[in-house]
Amino acid sequence: MVGKPERQVAVFGAGYIGLVTGACLAELGHRVVIRDINPEKVDLLRSGDVPIYEPGLGDMIARNKERLTFTLDLREALDGAEVAYVCVDTPPSPSGDADLSRLWTVIRSLEGAEHLKAVVVKSTVPVGTGARVRATLDEAGLTHVGYAANPEFTAEGRAVSDFMRPDRIVIGSSDEATATLISELHDGVDGPVVVMDVRSAEMVKLASNALLATKISFINEIATLCEKTGADVEEVAHAVGLDHRLGTHFLRPGIGWGGSCFPKDSEALRQLASNTGYHLQLLSAVIEVNNLQKRRAIQKLKDELGTLAGTRVALLGLTFKPGTDDMREATSTVLASRLLAEGAEVRCWDPMARPAETDPWTSTTRHDTPELALEGADAAILVTEWPQLTEVDWAKAAAAMRRPVLFDGRNLLDPARMRALGYTYMSVGRP
């Protein structure tokens, strides 16, 4: 890091985005203090443990422990800080709008921090939030402090590499000096810097996630049509994706998207449009397709078994995607709830998930291996494409099940092989 200016940075929020942002900025040579209001989380981080599973994050935090501090104290976080990053969560409110209460708590706490050079919001916020933040900073006597929107585009399971080698670094600011400062903070990151106005930067994050969600819902619609016509969606998606204008990325049929970003950001964008008097018809359809996709899996089992009442069903994989322990908006939650409502007994396996001690999970049983979850089951749904599921002895598992019925919600397994082993095998969009 020789020759690079070392900056003092305060990061508010020790969730996925805050921890990754803070650790990566420390890796780039800056001194970073991450502040959170959860004492247990801060104590855990101080002890060297990381409260979330994210590949490479723990090693990066350990490697930069001399430049990385965790605190509950606001003054300690702000002491000497040149830049304050806001990385708090913005969950949906009962009205469907983003709940910005945590963001406003942080912004108001900056009053008196006249030594700051810039405030940066990395949280996903509605378009127009930056103008309100700017006005609040001005009212607090911080007119000299720059403001920037710097949305994140990191995917769980590869967030560290996405930060260090991004497709782009988006900086929204009407102040050239602030845009330059934030760009310099990222010196050493292998990715282009794109500077724009604040409102456009806020829109980029929402639009990006909505478009990715659209690609998934689109290919799931095509998968359903393939099932009805005898076409193979895997072959269709492959050939469609070879068109350089389209690409194969996210043209993967499956049981539906979940996680912390796609559901929240899609709904937030739809609500933002509604608040302006405009109805996003395409996005509304994208969301509806995704919601139906999860329930189609239950209907397929009902069609095969006749009824789910009294049956035993195994859910293989619980997290919303492999490579993470995140259960937020996971498809498995909808599946477990629907199965229980139909009167089924639900057995579960996942190598990383830590479901909340609430319904539906308190009414299910957890097992240490896929084989144990499948034992005595009438049917199974492959929910998350963990690589461990390709290593299961599926012949042995078929013999251990009461009825070897399997719905592969991620098209992970080979249909011909599974049928040869005696399974009633169903997948998404494959004949």
Side-chain angles (χ1 to χ4, degrees):
M1 305 302 174
V2 177
K4 289 180 56 179
E6 178 187 272
R7 303 286 189 181
Q8 181 78 23
V9 180
V11 174
F12 290 87
Y16 274 93
I17 304 308
L19 283 178
V20 171
T21 298
C24 289
L25 288 175
E27 178 83 356
L28 293 171
H30 306 296
R31 303 195 69 83
V32 181
V33 181
I34 300 180
R35 191 234 179 175
D36 201 274
I37 60 174
N38 185 318
E40 292 80 11
K41 184 184 290 185
V42 170
D43 287 343
L44 196 67
L45 288 163
R46 285 172 172 171
S47 71
D49 289 328
V50 181
I52 59 174
Y53 175 72
E54 184 61 44
L57 181 59
D59 291 340
M60 182 175 280
I61 289 175
R63 189 165 60 244
N64 291 283
K65 61 183 179 181
E66 298 300 321
R67 287 194 291 266
L68 196 53
T69 305
F70 303 96
T71 186
L72 293 165
D73 187 79
L74 172 66
R75 293 182 181 178
E76 182 181 357
L78 287 174
D79 185 27
E82 297 175 77
V83 181
Y85 265 89
V86 183
C87 300
V88 296
D89 59 336
T90 54
S93 67
S95 68
D97 297 289
D99 179 358
L100 302 181
S101 58
R102 295 173 181 82
L103 179 141
W104 292 120
T105 297
V106 173
I107 296 300
R108 294 186 185 105
S109 74
L110 301 179
E111 185 172 2
E114 298 183 358
H115 56 284
L116 284 173
K117 293 183 179 179
V119 173
V120 184
V121 168
K122 208 162 188 67
S123 303
T124 303
V125 297
V127 178
T129 301
R132 294 171 58 197
V133 173
R134 177 71 271 170
T136 302
L137 293 174
D138 292 346
E139 291 169 5
L142 301 177
T143 55
H144 61 288
V145 177
Y147 176 78
N150 177 216
E152 57 85 20
F153 302 99
T154 53
E156 289 183 34
R158 58 172 192 268
V160 171
S161 61
D162 280 351
F163 188 102
M164 300 302 288
R165 294 180 294 278
D167 294 324
R168 73 290 201 199
I169 302 165
V170 174
I171 301 172
S173 181
S174 58
D175 175 0
E176 185 177 342
T178 299
T180 300
L181 171 59
I182 306 309
S183 179
E184 290 175 351
L185 276 178
H186 290 82
D187 281 352
V189 172
D190 184 16
V193 175
V194 183
V195 178
M196 61 188 68
D197 64 277
V198 172
R199 289 177 184 267
S200 296
E202 292 169 338
M203 182 64 84
V204 167
K205 174 60 187 297
L206 296 171
S208 294
N209 278 346
L211 183 54
L212 293 176
T214 298
K215 292 187 73 173
I216 298 172
S217 285
F218 173 79
I219 201 62
N220 279 334
E221 285 266 73
I222 296 299
T224 300
L225 192 55
C226 284
E227 291 175 8
K228 295 183 180 297
T229 60
D232 187 329
V233 72
E234 299 285 344
E235 299 290 349
V236 172
H238 172 70
V240 168
L242 291 176
D243 188 324
H244 70 277
R245 299 168 300 174
L246 302 172
T248 58
H249 201 48
F250 279 75
L251 282 182
R252 289 280 310 194
I255 207 166
W257 38 263
S260 62
C261 290
F262 283 9
K264 177 176 70 70
D265 292 353
S266 296
E267 288 288 358
L269 186 57
R270 182 164 68 167
Q271 188 64 37
L272 175 67
S274 296
N275 292 342
T276 68
Y278 182 67
H279 176 57
L280 285 176
Q281 299 180 61
L282 177 59
L283 184 57
S284 295
V286 166
I287 295 169
E288 181 182 359
V289 168
N290 191 62
N291 291 337
L292 288 173
Q293 196 71 6
K294 303 168 187 179
R295 287 160 174 78
R296 290 186 71 245
I298 303 299
Q299 188 59 50
K300 285 192 174 188
L301 290 192
K302 288 179 69 176
D303 291 343
E304 184 61 38
L305 300 177
T307 179
L308 294 177
T311 63
R312 182 180 295 166
V313 180
L315 296 182
L316 304 179
L318 301 180
T319 57
F320 86 94
K321 63 184 287 188
T324 179
D325 59 357
D326 197 346
M327 289 288 295
R328 287 177 290 180
E329 300 292 334
T331 295
S332 61
T333 304
V334 175
L335 297 177
S337 298
R338 288 298 311 133
L339 288 167
L340 291 167
E342 294 281 350
E345 174 191 338
V346 180
R347 301 158 65 86
C348 306
W349 168 83
D350 192 283
M352 294 299 302
R354 291 174 286 184
E357 291 297 320
T358 58
D359 285 337
W361 304 116
T362 50
S363 300
T364 67
T365 56
R366 289 288 301 276
H367 297 274
D368 292 335
T369 67
E371 291 85 354
L372 288 174
L374 288 165
E375 191 173 318
D378 296 286
I381 304 177
L382 195 158
V383 185
T384 312
E385 61 272 36
W386 287 103
Q388 292 94 320
L389 293 173
T390 63
E391 301 166 2
V392 169
D393 185 339
W394 287 104
K396 185 177 180 181
M401 295 176 73
R402 284 201 300 222
R403 283 184 279 185
V405 175
L406 176 63
F407 176 67
D408 184 351
R410 299 298 178 187
N411 290 0
L412 181 68
L413 307 174
D414 179 69
R417 176 174 178 267
M418 297 304 290
R419 293 187 182 113
L421 293 175
Y423 283 90
T424 299
Y425 178 83
M426 299 168 284
S427 57
V428 183
R430 298 191 290 187

